[in-house]
Structure formats: C-alpha cells, structure tokens
Amino acid sequence: MTGTYLGMPAFPEAAREAVRDEVLRANLRHATHTIRDKRARSVAELADWDRLRAAGKAVKDHTLRHLDRYLLQLEEAVTAAGGTVHWAADADEANRIVTDLVRATGEREVVKVKSMATQEIGLNEALEAAGIAAYETDLAELIVQLGHDRPSHILVPAIHRNRAEIRDIFRTEMGSWGRPAPEPLGDDPRELAEAARLHLREKFLRARVAVSGANFMVAETGTMVVLESEGNGRMCLTLPETLISVVGIEKVVPTFRDLEIFLQTLPRSSTAERMNPYTTMWTGLGPSRGADGDGPAAFHLVLLDNGRTDTLADETGRQALRCIRCSACLNVCPVYERAGGHAYGSVYPGPIGAILSPQLRGTGTEIDASLPYASTLCGACYEVCPVAIDIPEVLVHLRERVAQGGPVTRGGVRVTLRPADGRTAERATMRAARLLLDHPGALRAGERLLARARRLAPRRLPGAGRAWTDSRELPTVPAESFRDWWARERGDTQ
Amino acid sequence: MSSKDRILGRIRRASANAPDAEIPRDYLQVHGTRTPAERVDLLAAHLAEYRALVHRTDGDGLPALLTRLLAERGARTVLVPPGLPPHWLAAAGPVLVPDRADSTPHELDLVDSVVTGCALAVAETGTIVLDAGPDQGRRRITLIPDHHICVIRVPDQVVDSVPQALPLLDPSRPLTWISGPSATSDIELDRVEGVHGPRTLEVVLVGRE
C-alpha cells in the first residue's frame, strides 16, 4: 500500500521489540490512560449516548448499502458548487491524479493537513518522486516528518515521543525544511508549539496548493467537513489558491442533518472534548466561487477506493467501513498499549487497524496475515466504538480466513484464498489432537508416559511446537495424570 | 472503462446483499431543559473551560468594553468585517483596517486583532459558528491575526445543542465552528493554546438593552 511500511516485520516480532522499549511503553501508557479516562467522563455527559451510537451505526450501514447512489449525488452537488470530482480505484491512480493537479498549478510544494487517506496511499513519497515537497502541518505529523519517523496513533501520531526527543528533533531538523528552531529551545510544550507555529506560518502564508482529507462528505449538499484542533486545517483549507482533498468513498453521509450525530460522537470519542476547537465546512467554492478570496479558487475532490469496495464485499468485514477514525479503540486496547502503533505496520494501528489493514490490503503479506491475531479479543474496543463496529467478530472472521482460506474479493474479483503458509503445522497439531481425543486408550497411555518422563520435559517444544513456546511457558507436567489420580482417590465410587 | 464506472460497478456487486438500516432518530435534541439565562450561563461556562476569555455587557457598554479589551492586548490595528455595526467600534482607539478581497495573507498577518459577530453559538458544546456573514467577514480574517474578539448577541443567538444548530445554518456558505482558541495536545498530551489560529479568543456576550 505504501513504501513507508514495506519490509515491516510481522506483528509478533515488531511487538516484541516495542515491548522491550521502556520509554515507549511509559509514553504510551500515560497517553492511553489519560485519554480513556477523559473520554469516559465526556461520554457520560450525554444521556442518549447509546442512541447516538445506534444512529451513527445505522447512518453508516444505510450509506454503505446505497453507496453508489450517494457518491453520484455527492459528485453532482460538488460539481454544481464549482468543484471537480475525480475517481481513483487505487493508490497509484490517486497519487497520479494529485501529482498531475499540483503540476498543473506550476507549484513545487504543497501544505498538508493531516489525512489518513493520503498516508495510506503514500502520497508524500509519490509527490517527492515527482519533485514536489509536501509539508505536514499538524504538529504531531510535523514531529513525525522531521524525525524521519512513522505515525503511531491515529489521533496523536507522535504519542511515542516525549518532549526531550521532540526538542532534539526540532533543533536538528527544522532548519533543513525552512525556518530553523529558535535558540535556545527548551523542552516545554509551549516553547515547542511556538517553534512549530513560527516554522509553519512561513509556509502557510506563501502556500498556493494544499492537500487535505475529510472527516465527512455530505451527499445532499456536497459539503466537506474537517475537524481539527490546531488551526493548521483552517490555514490549509482557507489560504491556498488550490485545494485538493483525497477522501475514502466510505466517508460520505446522506444528509447535512446526519452531521448532528457525528459532531457529537466524534470529538468526545477521540479527544474527549465536547467539541474540537475548529471544524471547517465548505461546499465547492462557496457562494462567492472563491472570487473574493474567501477560500480556494479551485477545489478538487479525489474519491478513493483502494480496497474499500473489496472490504464492502465481505459480509462480516464490511462493518470496518463504518469507522470514523476517532481512535477510541486504540486507547482501551491492552495490546496497543504495550506494543505501540508501529508494530501494526500500517497507518491504521490498534484494533481498527488489525481489521482494516488486512481487508484493504489483503492478507497476502506476513504482517497482514498476523494482524488478526494482534488481539486478546477482550472486547473493550467494541464497547467504546461510537459506530458499534464489532471488532472482535471481524478479528475472528479474519483469523478463520488466514488459517483456512476461502472466498474473498480482491480488486473487484472474487477469488478463493489458500490457507496461509505456516499454518500447516497448526492444522496438523489439531488433527493429531482430534485423533488422540477420539481414542481414550491412546490418550491414557500418552499421559502416563508424560508423567513418568516429566523430569525430562524440555522448556521449549521442538519442531512445529516451537512457535508456541517462543512466547509461552510450557506448563509443568504433574506427577500423575488426572485420570490416575481420580482412579486412586475416587475409584471406589465408580 | 473509467475508474468511476469500475468503482461504481464494484460497489453495486459488493453491496447488493448488504443489510439496509432505518436510521433511528430517537436521540435527544437537547440535553436538559434550560431558561434562556441558564443557556447563556452554560455557554459562558463551557467557553471558559476551553480557555476562551468571556465578558458580559449590554449594548450601551459594548463600545467601551471593546476599546478596553483591545487596549489590554496592545492592539494598534484591528480588522473590521464590512457589515460590523459601526457603533461597536465607535470608541475604539486602534486603527480600523477594513477587510478587502485583495488583502494578502502577509498583510493580514501584520494586523493585531479582529472583531466579529457570529452566526450562532451552541451552549452544550461551547461553540461559536461563523458563516462569513457581513458582520464576520472572510474566513481568513478570524484565522491569521493573533487576537479574535467575537461578539454574541444573547440570548437570541444562543441555541442549546448541535441538533438545534444545524437547521439554522446554510451549508452553501463556508462554516467555521470555533470551540475555544486553537490548541494542541500533541506533546505528552499537555494542552497548549494557540498553535496556528488566534492564540487568544475573547467572547463578548451582549445582552438586550
């Protein structure tokens, strides 16, 4: 999907690295616990939370059922308001469209407001290859970009970095991108935010092209909606002459009224605030058609498929498309808290990433095949999800697909997947277990043998069992089997 | 085949057996019952919680209050939307800078403050909504200067909730929802106000005379 994540080790290896990093674990633990506690208080303020959640789920399900109709309605409304709509079947096509649009303006740089969709398609790398510099303007994205790093959280992408690390990144890297960090630079968040303000303002005031995503698109009116906190979104969406928005097709909602649900559930689920500091809504070029300098004079909307229609074809998995990218599921996940976002090898980390990435990209790679297993299935992610995605249900469904194969849709074509490599040992073990359990005599003999040989039991299993004992202790073998104990102690009652 | 046709074809094949859903609208339109005065109080409390500076006055006191607030910030120049009631800034000391279509972002960056009205405000979330109306001006004038004073006529411009706000807004206009000043929590989740928008948001609640 994107070059950034190529060569990522599968989840278990990546997670093992992360779990050993104590600074990372402390940063993550502090962050996830703070957000999750605040979120619970914020949600408790709304007595109708369950009803808002049910309504949000229903709006998304209804939209997905009639997605063709709503996308066509959206296209018509955006076009009528002076915008131009493009359709991109995959990452390459989307990158090509955006690159051509930027080239047509004659500009060699763009400012970007944080967007999961453009990260997903690796737009920055594609623009760079075309000689166009893409500047991330969200503070956390700036930290990630300057640190030659990858985002590790949907909402707070630099959550894995502490203030001292950020100061060092600003000091050494800002100068090579534009205005250097002020000297001396301390590690107080206020000072660091001020350094980012000065560095980026220079870019905002001269930028002529901006690239964004969107949280919602309204089919009825053609309205685009972006929620943010810092004002970098407003800067990108307002000042440049050309605005290009790359948005996944699942982000459409039918009516302007539907926003009343998500504007209540999204901020509280993500930042735990009643409302995020800034929300920008725009419809094409607006009533002035951009003529009085209020907003861009050209607006392009790139509608992105890139695996979404394949996901839609999966009856169990399609609910992942309801996701509004709030990141509440990350903050409650015991696995995310310890492993961190990078271990998921995708722009979508945490529980939602574990079901979204293997569906958008397929389960062909080792990392994607490992993601459905990156969970304890504790169900906390489902509990907090504001659109009620049953993540554990989809995880189990995807595990079944990885282990057993079966029919899936890839690139719009129905194909039958073969069981993933490396699962053959597991299946052989299960077959052996069934054989043993079906023959009580053999089981009894085996247990006695094991009890007698218990001092010789290895700490790790040989052969196919090694994968299991790599991360687990083998249970100690008792002196006698339960069967023998029962016969000795209670045998007379039989 | 165009990508549009290919994507629409895939959607139609993929969603043919998908369940449809009636959208239940039994969620609340308002969270609690309030008198107009209580609604304004709630707005003020929620704005203050997000570090907006909240002031109250009546129509007669407004010009003097605005003059004082601008002076306290040391504002030498103040941006004025074309339809701002002239008497609001009749007593103001700073130089008034009209919002012109051809003013560049760099010119706006040199202005100290901006004074605007608003389209409406939402009490439950502590939100001001601007719709680029004549007393609010273009989106960029409330974005680039470091100090924004927003005047809300109370209780007339205040609604309780988000569901009450949306039907009053025109989606064909550019809409900016503001809940407290620009902020970030990206560094160790420490909240810092004023990253790229105005660092200071002052809200003046103007009661009926």
Side-chain angles (χ1 to χ4, degrees):
Chain A
M1 192 151 62
T2 147
T4 323
Y5 294 97
L6 278 183
M8 278 297 296
F11 184 85
E13 284 89 70
R16 193 177 300 128
E17 287 288 304
V19 166
R20 283 202 204 105
D21 184 339
E22 284 181 26
V23 176
L24 174 74
R25 283 186 63 178
N27 293 351
L28 280 171
R29 193 185 144 74
H30 167 67
T32 54
H33 282 254
T34 307
I35 306 180
R36 91 164 73 146
D37 296 346
K38 275 176 66 187
R39 180 199 160 273
R41 285 198 295 277
S42 169
V43 164
E45 273 188 14
L46 299 185
D48 58 338
W49 184 260
D50 287 345
R51 281 171 275 172
L52 284 167
R53 186 175 185 242
K57 171 183 187 285
V59 167
K60 287 285 185 173
D61 281 346
H62 169 77
T63 312
L64 290 173
R65 174 66 187 84
H66 305 286
L67 192 55
D68 54 338
R69 191 175 89 208
Y70 287 123
L71 287 173
L72 287 170
Q73 192 186 4
L74 174 77
E75 181 183 42
E76 198 175 320
V78 170
T79 309
T84 309
V85 177
H86 311 259
W87 300 69
D90 56 27
D92 287 344
E93 188 173 14
N95 287 333
R96 204 162 48 239
I97 292 169
V98 177
T99 307
D100 288 348
L101 287 170
V102 178
R103 276 201 178 125
T105 66
E107 293 295 310
R108 304 298 295 271
E109 62 176 38
V110 301
V111 285
K112 283 189 70 205
V113 48
K114 182 189 158 193
S115 140
M116 306 299 297
T118 60
Q119 278 174 23
E120 175 190 318
I121 61 175
L123 178 66
N124 290 8
E125 292 80 3
L127 288 174
E128 195 185 325
I132 298 161
Y135 297 112
E136 293 291 348
T137 63
D138 173 83
L139 176 54
E141 290 291 343
L142 177 72
I143 295 166
V144 167
Q145 192 175 38
L146 290 175
H148 311 286
D149 197 358
R150 281 171 287 114
S152 65
H153 191 284
I154 290 174
L155 173 73
V156 270
I159 201 168
H160 57 292
R161 296 286 198 182
N162 62 33
R163 61 185 71 192
E165 295 175 293
I166 294 166
R167 180 200 51 201
D168 293 344
I169 291 170
F170 279 11
R171 266 186 181 161
T172 52
E173 300 290 337
M174 261 186 180
S176 58
W177 284 92
R179 183 172 173 151
E183 280 293 342
L185 182 67
D187 63 3
D188 178 59
R190 246 154 250 287
E191 251 181 278
L192 296 171
E194 179 67 16
R197 178 187 176 97
L198 295 170
H199 177 81
L200 286 171
R201 180 152 290 224
E202 181 190 87
K203 293 189 166 41
F204 288 133
L205 296 186
R206 72 163 190 242
R208 298 179 64 176
V209 183
V211 175
S212 84
N215 294 94
F216 304 99
M217 317 184 276
V218 181
E220 173 191 45
T221 58
T223 307
M224 313 291 298
V225 185
V226 168
L227 282 72
E228 49 121 7
S229 295
E230 294 174 11
N232 65 306
R234 291 183 67 195
M235 289 276 182
C236 292
L237 301 168
T238 309
L239 298 184
E241 289 162 18
T242 300
L243 171 60
I244 304 164
S245 299
V246 182
V247 189
I249 52 175
E250 82 283 14
K251 294 292 185 78
V252 68
V253 297
T255 68
F256 191 61
R257 184 190 173 182
D258 293 324
L259 295 175
E260 72 189 14
I261 300 164
F262 302 110
L263 286 180
Q264 294 189 80
T265 53
L266 178 52
R268 287 178 202 261
S269 293
S270 61
T271 55
E273 292 167 304
R274 296 187 187 98
M275 189 67 89
N276 49 294
Y278 294 132
T279 297
T280 299
M281 301 184 186
W282 77 97
T283 302
L285 297 175
S288 69
R289 293 292 167 110
D292 64 356
D294 192 24
F299 170 59
H300 295 274
L301 171 61
V302 182
L303 294 171
L304 178 71
D305 179 347
N306 202 35
R308 285 160 177 76
T309 50
D310 291 341
T311 308
L312 184 62
D314 188 295
E315 281 177 35
T316 308
R318 65 165 66 106
Q319 56 184 310
L321 297 175
R322 292 206 293 259
C323 178
I324 55 174
R325 314 281 189 259
C326 72
S327 75
C329 62
L330 277 61
N331 300 323
V332 296
C333 178
V335 176
Y336 176 87
E337 184 187 320
R338 286 161 182 84
H342 289 157
Y344 294 81
S346 149
V347 298
Y348 304 107
I352 185 63
I355 63 169
L356 202 51
S357 306
Q359 294 201 85
L360 293 178
R361 304 192 293 206
T363 49
T365 69
E366 205 188 333
I367 178 76
D368 286 318
S370 75
L371 286 176
Y373 297 87
S375 169
T376 63
L377 300 180
C378 75
C381 48
Y382 170 61
E383 292 296 314
V384 297
C385 178
V387 284
I389 301 170
D390 192 339
I391 296 177
E393 181 191 15
V394 182
L395 285 167
V396 171
H397 168 70
L398 293 175
R399 286 180 188 189
E400 199 177 292
R401 175 186 296 172
V402 169
Q404 298 181 4
V408 291
T409 305
R410 297 310 310 160
V413 181
R414 200 91 170 139
V415 294
T416 302
L417 275 189
R418 292 176 46 203
D421 294 341
R423 301 284 161 196
T424 25
E426 206 170 282
R427 281 197 309 282
T429 312
M430 294 316 280
R431 269 201 299 273
R434 195 180 312 134
L435 187 76
L436 215 51
L437 292 169
D438 283 348
H439 298 85
L443 182 62
R444 194 176 307 131
E447 282 174 350
R448 289 215 179 101
L449 184 66
L450 202 59
R452 257 174 254 137
R454 71 185 201 280
R455 278 178 222 288
L456 307 173
R459 293 195 45 228
R460 298 177 67 190
L461 286 175
R466 188 181 301 140
W468 173 269
T469 51
D470 266 354
S471 49
R472 296 170 187 84
E473 298 279 312
L474 263 187
T476 47
V477 183
E480 67 181 327
S481 73
F482 176 74
R483 233 177 254 265
D484 288 346
W485 175 87
W486 183 268
R488 180 163 53 76
E489 291 284 319
R490 306 283 161 83
D492 53 350
T493 62
Q494 273 181 353
Chain B
M1 202 194 324
S2 72
S3 289
K4 175 180 171 179
D5 293 336
R6 190 174 304 133
I7 293 169
L8 289 173
R10 287 179 188 176
I11 288 171
R12 285 171 189 140
R13 285 194 298 279
S15 64
N17 65 347
D20 202 349
E22 277 289 303
I23 297 160
R25 301 276 181 187
D26 58 349
Y27 49 83
L28 300 174
Q29 294 299 298
V30 184
H31 297 87
T33 47
R34 300 173 193 103
T35 64
E38 286 167 346
R39 191 176 306 133
V40 174
D41 288 346
L42 186 69
L43 173 69
H46 283 169
L47 281 165
E49 204 174 305
Y50 286 143
R51 317 263 168 91
L53 305 171
V54 182
H55 311 274
R56 295 187 187 226
T57 184
D58 59 17
D60 290 340
L62 182 62
L65 175 63
L66 291 176
T67 303
R68 177 167 70 78
L69 296 179
L70 290 166
E72 280 172 5
R73 294 279 143 191
R76 286 155 302 154
T77 48
V78 56
L79 264 166
V80 184
L84 199 79
H87 68 273
W88 285 10
L89 289 172
V95 176
L96 305 186
V97 179
D99 173 30
R100 299 187 329 269
D102 59 352
S103 54
T104 67
H106 282 101
E107 285 165 358
L108 295 175
D109 197 29
L110 299 173
V111 182
D112 296 317
S113 300
V114 57
V115 176
T116 72
C118 69
L120 57 82
V122 186
E124 287 183 4
T125 57
T127 305
I128 300 155
V129 184
L130 307 182
D131 69 354
D135 63 347
Q136 300 145 55
R138 296 179 303 154
R139 287 182 274 171
R140 58 184 57 196
I141 69 168
T142 54
L143 173 60
I144 300 177
D146 209 18
H147 178 217
H148 177 197
I149 303 177
C150 182
V151 178
I152 305 172
R153 297 178 180 88
V154 298
D156 305 2
Q157 286 192 305
V158 186
V159 298
D160 276 300
S161 65
V162 172
Q164 287 183 343
L166 283 164
L168 302 176
L169 296 168
D170 175 359
S172 74
R173 305 188 66 84
L175 301 172
T176 304
W177 298 50
I178 300 174
S179 309
S182 150
T184 182
S185 300
D186 280 345
I187 303 169
E188 295 185 18
L189 297 179
D190 242 346
R191 199 172 201 269
V192 177
E193 274 83 32
V195 196
H196 302 300
R199 259 180 288 213
T200 308
L201 173 66
E202 300 205 63
V203 178
V204 179
L205 306 174
V206 184
R208 292 195 190 106
E209 275 103 297

